């Protein structure tokens, strides 16, 4: 019990909020080091989608992938966005002359011919995007089996016994055009990053409607398995309100882990790195590693919908 006149807050470093945060982070890091993950042996294919721009799709795709790779999983990131941000963050060259996912979708190159290994880890592969992909949306319109191009390429790649993958993570552009439809057709699971900001849920019903359409007409296996709250700022009431609302609507899909807003996360791509390699002990890296552990544990692919 505090006596009146006693100083209201201790000024010692151990009791300061920053010290508590550091202690919490190191406890979480130790817990992660003790985790043993069991991979299913099957290939789980995720598409990271949200037609809203700038919600953390690419950041989530590359950092979850790097975190999964650090757990021992073999992971392929397919960069399906002409912006090529995922390729950049994975340190993979993707200038206009690079063989890319464009060549796979339009000229039927085998995936094996365009896949590169990220300098970050031999477990982390990338099918890069180049600027040519910007035209693919229109070029695909006149192509045979235009919605199935990516699915076919992936199936052919995985048919080779030497090409086992535990995870395929597809980074989508912020639209619901033919590139995203190719991702929906190739994937089993949809991972939706939701930014803990005002208007977070705007457009979500349109996205869920598109998933239902794809389920009905192109890919019955597709389901929203995972929702990840990103750019969470615990100091604001708004972030908490958005998180609570999303959890109310999607209690089964939302991961317990929340990705904090963190400068380390946003600066990593400018070094051609994921936050896992850039600063593996930072709050953002630890959160992405925790999210990856949850994703491995929550295997919903066999769930009957
Ligand atoms: P687009 O729709 O353009 O493809 P996106 O949904 O892929 O965007 P990102 O590019 O991943 O979104 O993120 C948008 C911006 O937010 C980037 O500048 C990124 O660095 C930043 N960002 C993402 N996650 C975080 C985070 N947890 N903390 C701080 N900044 C973040
Ligand atoms: Mg993106």
């Amino acid at each position: 019990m505090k006596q009146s006149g006693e100083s209201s807050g201790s000024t010692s470093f151990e009791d300061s909020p920053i010290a508590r945060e550091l202690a919490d982070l190191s406890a979480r890091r130790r817990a992660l080091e003790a985790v043993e993950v069991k991979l299913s042996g099957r290939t789980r294919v995720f598409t990271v989608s949200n037609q809203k721009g700038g919600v953390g799709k690419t950041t989530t795709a590359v950092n979850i992938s790097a975190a999964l790779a650090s757990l021992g999983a073999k992971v392929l990131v397919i960069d399906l966005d002409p912006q090529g941000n995922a390729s950049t963050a994975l340190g993979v060259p993707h200038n206009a002359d690079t063989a890319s996912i464009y060549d796979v979708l339009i000229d039927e190159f085998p995936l094996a011919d365009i896949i590169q290994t990220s300098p970050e880890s031999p477990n982390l592969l990338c099918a890069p995007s180049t600027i040519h992909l910007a035209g693919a949306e229109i070029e695909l319109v006149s192509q045979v089996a235009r919605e199935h191009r990516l699915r076919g390429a992936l199936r052919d790649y995985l048919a080779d016994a030497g090409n086992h993958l535990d995870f395929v993570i597809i980074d989508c552009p912020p639209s619901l055009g033919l590139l995203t439809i190719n991702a929906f057709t190739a994937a089993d699971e949809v991972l939706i990053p939701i930014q803990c900001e005002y208007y977070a849920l705007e457009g979500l019903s349109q996205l869920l409607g598109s998933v239902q359409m794809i389920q009905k007409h192109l890919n019955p296996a597709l389901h929203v398995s995972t929702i990840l709250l990103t750019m969470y700022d615990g100091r604001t009431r708004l972030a908490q309100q958005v998180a609570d609302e999303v959890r109310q609507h999607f209690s089964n899909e939302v991961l317990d882990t929340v990705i904090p807003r963190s400068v380390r996360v946003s600066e990593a791509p400018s070094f051609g790195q994921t936050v896992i390699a850039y600063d593996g002990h930072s709050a953002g890296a630890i959160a992405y590693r925790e999210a990856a552990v949850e994703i491995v544990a929550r295997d919903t692919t066999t769930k009957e919908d």
Side-chain angles (χ1 to χ4, degrees):
M1 266 299 224
K2 271 197 185 89
Q3 303 297 316
S4 64
E6 198 180 57
S7 112
S8 57
S10 164
T11 50
S12 74
F13 178 72
E14 288 76 14
D15 291 340
S16 65
I18 183 132
R20 282 200 296 274
E21 201 176 313
L22 286 173
D24 174 56
L25 272 183
S26 66
R28 285 164 59 196
R29 206 172 66 225
R30 281 196 303 276
L32 275 168
E33 275 151 18
V35 162
E36 278 184 35
V37 295
K38 230 195 240 136
L39 299 167
S40 67
R42 285 181 298 104
T43 307
R44 290 174 66 189
V45 184
F46 282 79
T47 175
V48 183
S49 306
N50 191 331
Q51 80 278 22
K52 242 171 103 72
V55 297
K57 291 181 290 295
T58 302
T59 305
T60 293
V62 299
N63 290 316
I64 286 285
S65 297
L68 288 166
S70 76
L71 292 170
K74 189 93 178 179
V75 187
L76 168 64
V77 178
I78 299 181
D79 188 351
L80 215 54
D81 188 336
Q83 296 177 100
N85 295 338
S87 312
T88 303
L90 293 169
V92 163
H94 61 106
N95 58 45
D97 302 331
T98 311
S100 75
I101 199 70
Y102 171 87
D103 302 296
V104 172
L105 294 175
I106 304 295
D107 294 325
E108 300 191 49
F109 276 34
L111 257 180
D113 287 7
I114 67 131
I115 287 177
Q116 300 184 44
T117 303
S118 167
E120 221 166 281
S121 161
N123 277 349
L124 191 52
L125 309 178
C126 176
S129 141
T130 62
I131 190 66
H132 298 302
L133 197 60
E137 199 88 62
I138 290 170
E139 287 175 65
L140 274 170
V141 171
S142 59
Q143 303 246 345
V144 177
R146 60 194 180 184
E147 297 95 352
H148 298 274
R149 289 295 174 107
L150 186 61
R151 183 186 184 89
L154 193 55
R155 193 185 44 219
D156 292 349
Y157 179 80
L158 291 169
D160 187 330
N163 290 339
H164 173 72
L165 296 170
D166 295 296
F167 289 92
V168 177
I169 311 279
I170 307 170
D171 183 34
C172 283
S175 68
L176 294 171
L178 267 173
L179 289 171
T180 298
I181 290 176
N182 262 274
F184 280 159
T185 307
D188 303 311
E189 303 185 50
V190 184
L191 190 171
I192 306 178
I194 293 185
Q195 193 182 357
C196 295
E197 297 281 351
Y198 201 53
Y199 294 136
L201 301 180
E202 194 190 53
L204 204 58
S205 58
Q206 197 189 351
L207 174 59
L208 298 176
S210 300
V211 171
Q212 271 177 2
M213 287 285 283
I214 302 287
Q215 248 172 8
K216 196 164 160 200
H217 298 290
L218 292 167
N219 179 13
L222 189 71
H223 62 288
V224 176
S225 68
T226 312
I227 294 179
L228 181 60
L229 296 165
T230 64
M231 297 189 230
Y232 182 85
D233 183 345
R235 293 166 306 182
T236 69
R237 194 183 284 271
L238 176 65
Q240 286 171 21
Q241 280 169 352
V242 171
D244 289 347
E245 197 179 336
V246 175
R247 285 193 193 284
Q248 264 170 29
H249 279 87
F250 304 99
S251 54
N252 291 330
E253 291 82 6
V254 185
L255 296 185
D256 294 337
T257 307
V258 168
I259 308 301
R261 185 172 278 287
S262 138
V263 175
R264 306 305 261 171
V265 169
S266 59
E267 61 191 16
S270 57
F271 297 90
Q273 287 184 316
T274 69
V275 76
I276 309 300
Y278 177 60
D279 187 352
H281 290 180
S282 64
I286 288 175
Y288 271 116
R289 285 164 65 195
E290 289 170 337
V293 170
E294 271 195 79
I295 285 173
V296 173
R298 294 160 39 104
D299 192 343
T300 59
T301 319
T302 52
K303 193 174 81 179
E304 295 292 331
D305 281 335

